[in-house]
Amino acid sequence: MEAFAEHLAVERGRSPHTVRAYVGDVRDLLAAARSRGGGDPADVDLALLRAWLSGEARAVPDAVAGARGPRAAPGPAARATTARRAASARAFTAWLARTGAAGADAGVRLRAPRLSGALPGVLAAGAVAQVLAAAEEAAEEGGPVALRDAAALELLYATGVRVGELVGLDVDDVDRSRWTVRVMGKGAKERVVPFGAPADAALGRWLGRGRPALAGPRSGSALLLGARGGRLDQRAVRGVVERISGKVVSRHVTPHTLRHSAATHLLDGGADLRSVQELLGHASLATTQLYTHVSVERLRSSYHQAHPRA
């Protein structure tokens, strides 16, 4: 597992979060293999992989099975989770074959269910403006944490970055003279993303008054800091978004909601797909094209409301 984790991190450039998820999946897969009598990674074959993905082959701890009797296998995982588990298994079996631990790549024919392509709900531009206004109002009345919260929300919407990318930003990644931020995305791919005047103003207040008040020995070069001076974590950002948005909108809002909203509003405003792809850090244009469905639905709704022959 240590060697596989190193392969993922060093050779394939996967993020620490992805490495943890893949290693966890593979541990579960190997436990399922052991429960079927397999004692070696080479015993992982296509039949086992398919049974494992479908939920038919799951390891049951002996203590649990002995105390309570056989446990029913859980139902099929959500499509997104199943797709990730399939990707974990394929990465592992390919690595086994390449390193000689297995004779052939058992996962090369493994297929995962197609993702539905459904996107989380998108906030209207007016609703996003209300959320950001609420954050700004709190920053005017509050202390350094409120200044940080306002800067975080402005950056999430202005740049469309993922929450993991946001908390990974360092002070030197922000170029306020050019209104750009350098982002390290998935697969250790770097991109430069612009932001606008409101985000720049929020950053200026945070860097000028907020960050110096929280900075300490644990701060390092982190752009956004927690209340104790360490780098802000993803869970805290999610809490900030939910708390502030909950004051002004009725629906549940997450950092990813702001990312999807930013992409949709860009397309609604006339931005081309390639530019939005670059801004979001999508490896494939097909991923970015999902947002066109949202825009088309809005166009259709407006057409039916406004056209006399609709």
Side-chain angles (χ1 to χ4, degrees):
M1 285 298 92
E2 290 179 3
F4 178 57
E6 183 177 1
H7 159 72
L8 292 172
V10 177
E11 297 181 34
R12 300 188 62 176
R14 299 301 190 221
S15 70
H17 176 77
T18 299
V19 172
R20 284 194 299 272
Y22 276 33
V23 168
D25 289 338
V26 171
R27 287 189 188 280
D28 186 62
L29 170 63
L30 294 180
R34 285 195 298 272
S35 71
R36 290 190 158 200
D40 189 271
D43 294 327
V44 174
D45 57 17
L46 184 59
L48 172 67
L49 290 172
R50 287 172 172 168
W52 175 70
L53 274 186
S54 69
E56 296 172 5
R58 299 287 173 85
V60 180
D62 293 338
V64 175
R68 303 178 185 174
R71 185 178 64 185
R79 283 178 176 265
T81 302
T82 304
R84 189 208 67 219
R85 288 163 65 85
S88 304
R90 285 195 296 266
F92 182 63
T93 58
W95 177 76
L96 288 177
R98 187 171 63 82
T99 57
D105 183 356
V108 71
R109 292 168 53 202
L110 184 66
R111 295 291 179 266
R114 279 184 171 271
L115 296 179
S116 64
L119 293 171
V122 174
L123 288 179
V128 175
Q130 287 182 307
V131 172
L132 297 178
E136 184 177 359
E137 182 180 349
E140 291 174 355
E141 302 173 355
V145 171
L147 291 171
R148 178 209 66 198
D149 294 347
L153 264 68
E154 285 284 359
L155 274 177
L156 281 171
Y157 179 64
T159 63
V161 293
R162 303 174 178 93
V163 64
E165 295 169 345
L166 175 76
V167 299
L169 292 175
D170 291 334
V171 173
D172 290 343
D173 291 329
V174 178
D175 186 345
R176 293 188 61 208
S177 65
R178 298 184 178 182
W179 288 5
T180 59
V181 60
R182 184 174 63 245
V183 179
M184 185 63 69
K186 289 185 176 182
K189 294 180 180 178
E190 187 178 283
R191 67 186 190 277
V192 176
V193 182
F195 55 81
D200 181 64
L203 277 170
R205 291 190 291 268
W206 160 245
L207 291 171
R209 306 199 313 270
R211 192 181 186 281
L214 295 180
R218 300 172 52 226
S219 302
S221 58
L223 174 64
L224 299 175
L225 305 178
R228 297 182 179 180
R231 184 180 292 272
L232 190 65
D233 62 34
Q234 297 186 34
R235 182 180 299 179
V237 176
R238 294 189 182 96
V240 168
V241 173
E242 292 174 5
R243 174 173 51 81
I244 294 178
S245 63
K247 298 177 180 178
V248 292
V249 296
S250 58
R251 55 157 298 179
H252 180 65
V253 179
T254 68
H256 228 55
T257 307
L258 296 178
R259 174 174 164 86
H260 289 309
S261 300
T264 303
H265 298 163
L266 279 166
L267 290 170
D268 285 345
D272 64 274
L273 272 175
R274 287 289 184 187
S275 298
V276 176
Q277 177 192 10
E278 179 67 22
L279 186 142
L280 296 180
H282 286 158
S284 168
L285 188 61
T287 306
T288 315
Q289 285 176 325
L290 294 174
Y291 295 99
T292 62
H293 300 320
V294 180
S295 296
V296 169
E297 286 303 316
R298 289 189 176 187
L299 176 62
R300 182 179 290 112
S301 176
S302 298
Y303 177 85
H304 284 293
Q305 290 178 10
H307 199 290
R309 303 286 285 185

PDB file of all heavy atoms in Angstrom, residues 224-243:
ATOM      1  N   LEU A 224      -5.171  31.986   3.397  1.00  0.00           N
ATOM      2  CA  LEU A 224      -6.311  32.024   4.301  1.00  0.00           C
ATOM      3  C   LEU A 224      -5.986  31.249   5.582  1.00  0.00           C
ATOM      4  O   LEU A 224      -5.508  30.113   5.504  1.00  0.00           O
ATOM      5  CB  LEU A 224      -7.549  31.429   3.629  1.00  0.00           C
ATOM      6  CG  LEU A 224      -8.013  32.151   2.356  1.00  0.00           C
ATOM      7  CD1 LEU A 224      -9.171  31.414   1.710  1.00  0.00           C
ATOM      8  CD2 LEU A 224      -8.398  33.593   2.656  1.00  0.00           C
ATOM      9  N   LEU A 225      -6.263  31.857   6.712  1.00  0.00           N
ATOM     10  CA  LEU A 225      -5.890  31.276   7.998  1.00  0.00           C
ATOM     11  C   LEU A 225      -7.121  30.966   8.841  1.00  0.00           C
ATOM     12  O   LEU A 225      -8.146  31.648   8.743  1.00  0.00           O
ATOM     13  CB  LEU A 225      -4.985  32.240   8.780  1.00  0.00           C
ATOM     14  CG  LEU A 225      -3.718  32.719   8.078  1.00  0.00           C
ATOM     15  CD1 LEU A 225      -2.975  33.698   8.983  1.00  0.00           C
ATOM     16  CD2 LEU A 225      -2.820  31.545   7.708  1.00  0.00           C
ATOM     17  N   GLY A 226      -6.971  29.938   9.675  1.00  0.00           N
ATOM     18  CA  GLY A 226      -8.002  29.644  10.651  1.00  0.00           C
ATOM     19  C   GLY A 226      -7.876  30.551  11.858  1.00  0.00           C
ATOM     20  O   GLY A 226      -6.927  31.338  11.972  1.00  0.00           O
ATOM     21  N   ALA A 227      -8.807  30.437  12.775  1.00  0.00           N
ATOM     22  CA  ALA A 227      -8.823  31.308  13.954  1.00  0.00           C
ATOM     23  C   ALA A 227      -7.577  31.132  14.810  1.00  0.00           C
ATOM     24  O   ALA A 227      -7.179  32.051  15.543  1.00  0.00           O
ATOM     25  CB  ALA A 227     -10.072  31.043  14.777  1.00  0.00           C
ATOM     26  N   ARG A 228      -6.926  29.953  14.753  1.00  0.00           N
ATOM     27  CA  ARG A 228      -5.729  29.700  15.554  1.00  0.00           C
ATOM     28  C   ARG A 228      -4.433  29.945  14.788  1.00  0.00           C
ATOM     29  O   ARG A 228      -3.352  29.633  15.271  1.00  0.00           O
ATOM     30  CB  ARG A 228      -5.756  28.266  16.076  1.00  0.00           C
ATOM     31  CG  ARG A 228      -6.933  27.989  17.004  1.00  0.00           C
ATOM     32  CD  ARG A 228      -6.885  26.567  17.520  1.00  0.00           C
ATOM     33  NE  ARG A 228      -8.000  26.289  18.430  1.00  0.00           N
ATOM     34  CZ  ARG A 228      -8.213  25.122  19.023  1.00  0.00           C
ATOM     35  NH1 ARG A 228      -7.372  24.114  18.787  1.00  0.00           N
ATOM     36  NH2 ARG A 228      -9.241  24.953  19.821  1.00  0.00           N
ATOM     37  N   GLY A 229      -4.545  30.464  13.582  1.00  0.00           N
ATOM     38  CA  GLY A 229      -3.346  30.849  12.844  1.00  0.00           C
ATOM     39  C   GLY A 229      -2.842  29.852  11.838  1.00  0.00           C
ATOM     40  O   GLY A 229      -1.931  30.162  11.067  1.00  0.00           O
ATOM     41  N   GLY A 230      -3.403  28.624  11.825  1.00  0.00           N
ATOM     42  CA  GLY A 230      -2.972  27.643  10.835  1.00  0.00           C
ATOM     43  C   GLY A 230      -3.696  27.827   9.514  1.00  0.00           C
ATOM     44  O   GLY A 230      -4.610  28.657   9.394  1.00  0.00           O
ATOM     45  N   ARG A 231      -3.297  27.066   8.515  1.00  0.00           N
ATOM     46  CA  ARG A 231      -3.950  27.152   7.215  1.00  0.00           C
ATOM     47  C   ARG A 231      -5.419  26.743   7.347  1.00  0.00           C
ATOM     48  O   ARG A 231      -5.747  25.751   7.989  1.00  0.00           O
ATOM     49  CB  ARG A 231      -3.247  26.236   6.205  1.00  0.00           C
ATOM     50  CG  ARG A 231      -3.814  26.333   4.778  1.00  0.00           C
ATOM     51  CD  ARG A 231      -3.079  25.395   3.846  1.00  0.00           C
ATOM     52  NE  ARG A 231      -1.701  25.792   3.620  1.00  0.00           N
ATOM     53  CZ  ARG A 231      -1.303  26.635   2.680  1.00  0.00           C
ATOM     54  NH1 ARG A 231      -2.202  27.191   1.858  1.00  0.00           N
ATOM     55  NH2 ARG A 231      -0.028  26.939   2.544  1.00  0.00           N
ATOM     56  N   LEU A 232      -6.292  27.500   6.744  1.00  0.00           N
ATOM     57  CA  LEU A 232      -7.725  27.212   6.780  1.00  0.00           C
ATOM     58  C   LEU A 232      -7.995  25.883   6.084  1.00  0.00           C
ATOM     59  O   LEU A 232      -7.399  25.574   5.050  1.00  0.00           O
ATOM     60  CB  LEU A 232      -8.493  28.330   6.078  1.00  0.00           C
ATOM     61  CG  LEU A 232     -10.019  28.338   6.197  1.00  0.00           C
ATOM     62  CD1 LEU A 232     -10.443  28.568   7.637  1.00  0.00           C
ATOM     63  CD2 LEU A 232     -10.609  29.415   5.293  1.00  0.00           C
ATOM     64  N   ASP A 233      -8.905  25.050   6.653  1.00  0.00           N
ATOM     65  CA  ASP A 233      -9.188  23.761   6.024  1.00  0.00           C
ATOM     66  C   ASP A 233     -10.528  23.791   5.283  1.00  0.00           C
ATOM     67  O   ASP A 233     -11.327  24.718   5.428  1.00  0.00           O
ATOM     68  CB  ASP A 233      -9.150  22.620   7.034  1.00  0.00           C
ATOM     69  CG  ASP A 233     -10.197  22.753   8.140  1.00  0.00           C
ATOM     70  OD1 ASP A 233     -11.291  23.256   7.876  1.00  0.00           O
ATOM     71  OD2 ASP A 233      -9.909  22.343   9.276  1.00  0.00           O
ATOM     72  N   GLN A 234     -10.745  22.753   4.482  1.00  0.00           N
ATOM     73  CA  GLN A 234     -11.912  22.710   3.617  1.00  0.00           C
ATOM     74  C   GLN A 234     -13.213  22.685   4.410  1.00  0.00           C
ATOM     75  O   GLN A 234     -14.203  23.319   4.027  1.00  0.00           O
ATOM     76  CB  GLN A 234     -11.838  21.487   2.703  1.00  0.00           C
ATOM     77  CG  GLN A 234     -10.665  21.493   1.747  1.00  0.00           C
ATOM     78  CD  GLN A 234     -10.708  20.340   0.776  1.00  0.00           C
ATOM     79  OE1 GLN A 234     -11.774  19.901   0.348  1.00  0.00           O
ATOM     80  NE2 GLN A 234      -9.538  19.818   0.409  1.00  0.00           N
ATOM     81  N   ARG A 235     -13.222  21.951   5.509  1.00  0.00           N
ATOM     82  CA  ARG A 235     -14.448  21.844   6.294  1.00  0.00           C
ATOM     83  C   ARG A 235     -14.871  23.207   6.822  1.00  0.00           C
ATOM     84  O   ARG A 235     -16.062  23.541   6.826  1.00  0.00           O
ATOM     85  CB  ARG A 235     -14.236  20.876   7.460  1.00  0.00           C
ATOM     86  CG  ARG A 235     -15.482  20.678   8.303  1.00  0.00           C
ATOM     87  CD  ARG A 235     -15.219  19.697   9.444  1.00  0.00           C
ATOM     88  NE  ARG A 235     -14.847  18.391   8.936  1.00  0.00           N
ATOM     89  CZ  ARG A 235     -14.537  17.359   9.721  1.00  0.00           C
ATOM     90  NH1 ARG A 235     -14.534  17.513  11.046  1.00  0.00           N
ATOM     91  NH2 ARG A 235     -14.220  16.188   9.189  1.00  0.00           N
ATOM     92  N   ALA A 236     -13.902  24.009   7.242  1.00  0.00           N
ATOM     93  CA  ALA A 236     -14.218  25.340   7.743  1.00  0.00           C
ATOM     94  C   ALA A 236     -14.816  26.217   6.641  1.00  0.00           C
ATOM     95  O   ALA A 236     -15.758  26.974   6.881  1.00  0.00           O
ATOM     96  CB  ALA A 236     -12.968  25.994   8.324  1.00  0.00           C
ATOM     97  N   VAL A 237     -14.277  26.098   5.427  1.00  0.00           N
ATOM     98  CA  VAL A 237     -14.807  26.893   4.315  1.00  0.00           C
ATOM     99  C   VAL A 237     -16.247  26.493   4.013  1.00  0.00           C
ATOM    100  O   VAL A 237     -17.115  27.347   3.786  1.00  0.00           O
ATOM    101  CB  VAL A 237     -13.930  26.729   3.061  1.00  0.00           C
ATOM    102  CG1 VAL A 237     -14.548  27.475   1.877  1.00  0.00           C
ATOM    103  CG2 VAL A 237     -12.527  27.242   3.316  1.00  0.00           C
ATOM    104  N   ARG A 238     -16.522  25.191   4.013  1.00  0.00           N
ATOM    105  CA  ARG A 238     -17.897  24.740   3.779  1.00  0.00           C
ATOM    106  C   ARG A 238     -18.840  25.303   4.841  1.00  0.00           C
ATOM    107  O   ARG A 238     -19.965  25.718   4.541  1.00  0.00           O
ATOM    108  CB  ARG A 238     -17.956  23.216   3.758  1.00  0.00           C
ATOM    109  CG  ARG A 238     -17.217  22.581   2.589  1.00  0.00           C
ATOM    110  CD  ARG A 238     -17.489  21.086   2.496  1.00  0.00           C
ATOM    111  NE  ARG A 238     -16.731  20.493   1.410  1.00  0.00           N
ATOM    112  CZ  ARG A 238     -15.554  19.896   1.537  1.00  0.00           C
ATOM    113  NH1 ARG A 238     -14.997  19.805   2.749  1.00  0.00           N
ATOM    114  NH2 ARG A 238     -14.920  19.389   0.506  1.00  0.00           N
ATOM    115  N   GLY A 239     -18.375  25.314   6.083  1.00  0.00           N
ATOM    116  CA  GLY A 239     -19.195  25.864   7.149  1.00  0.00           C
ATOM    117  C   GLY A 239     -19.464  27.347   6.966  1.00  0.00           C
ATOM    118  O   GLY A 239     -20.580  27.822   7.211  1.00  0.00           O
ATOM    119  N   VAL A 240     -18.452  28.081   6.518  1.00  0.00           N
ATOM    120  CA  VAL A 240     -18.605  29.516   6.276  1.00  0.00           C
ATOM    121  C   VAL A 240     -19.640  29.766   5.182  1.00  0.00           C
ATOM    122  O   VAL A 240     -20.539  30.613   5.322  1.00  0.00           O
ATOM    123  CB  VAL A 240     -17.252  30.140   5.889  1.00  0.00           C
ATOM    124  CG1 VAL A 240     -17.439  31.553   5.339  1.00  0.00           C
ATOM    125  CG2 VAL A 240     -16.312  30.158   7.080  1.00  0.00           C
ATOM    126  N   VAL A 241     -19.527  29.025   4.079  1.00  0.00           N
ATOM    127  CA  VAL A 241     -20.458  29.206   2.963  1.00  0.00           C
ATOM    128  C   VAL A 241     -21.884  28.889   3.399  1.00  0.00           C
ATOM    129  O   VAL A 241     -22.827  29.643   3.104  1.00  0.00           O
ATOM    130  CB  VAL A 241     -20.048  28.321   1.767  1.00  0.00           C
ATOM    131  CG1 VAL A 241     -21.107  28.370   0.669  1.00  0.00           C
ATOM    132  CG2 VAL A 241     -18.692  28.763   1.215  1.00  0.00           C
ATOM    133  N   GLU A 242     -22.067  27.786   4.109  1.00  0.00           N
ATOM    134  CA  GLU A 242     -23.410  27.401   4.544  1.00  0.00           C
ATOM    135  C   GLU A 242     -23.988  28.419   5.527  1.00  0.00           C
ATOM    136  O   GLU A 242     -25.166  28.766   5.449  1.00  0.00           O
ATOM    137  CB  GLU A 242     -23.364  26.014   5.187  1.00  0.00           C
ATOM    138  CG  GLU A 242     -23.049  24.898   4.187  1.00  0.00           C
ATOM    139  CD  GLU A 242     -22.863  23.554   4.861  1.00  0.00           C
ATOM    140  OE1 GLU A 242     -23.083  23.478   6.100  1.00  0.00           O
ATOM    141  OE2 GLU A 242     -22.497  22.585   4.175  1.00  0.00           O
ATOM    142  N   ARG A 243     -23.156  28.903   6.444  1.00  0.00           N
ATOM    143  CA  ARG A 243     -23.646  29.831   7.477  1.00  0.00           C
ATOM    144  C   ARG A 243     -24.061  31.173   6.874  1.00  0.00           C
ATOM    145  O   ARG A 243     -25.142  31.686   7.165  1.00  0.00           O
ATOM    146  CB  ARG A 243     -22.562  30.039   8.535  1.00  0.00           C
ATOM    147  CG  ARG A 243     -22.908  31.089   9.580  1.00  0.00           C
ATOM    148  CD  ARG A 243     -21.862  31.113  10.688  1.00  0.00           C
ATOM    149  NE  ARG A 243     -20.512  31.216  10.177  1.00  0.00           N
ATOM    150  CZ  ARG A 243     -19.947  32.365   9.782  1.00  0.00           C
ATOM    151  NH1 ARG A 243     -20.644  33.492   9.818  1.00  0.00           N
ATOM    152  NH2 ARG A 243     -18.702  32.372   9.355  1.00  0.00           N
TER     153      ARG A 243
END
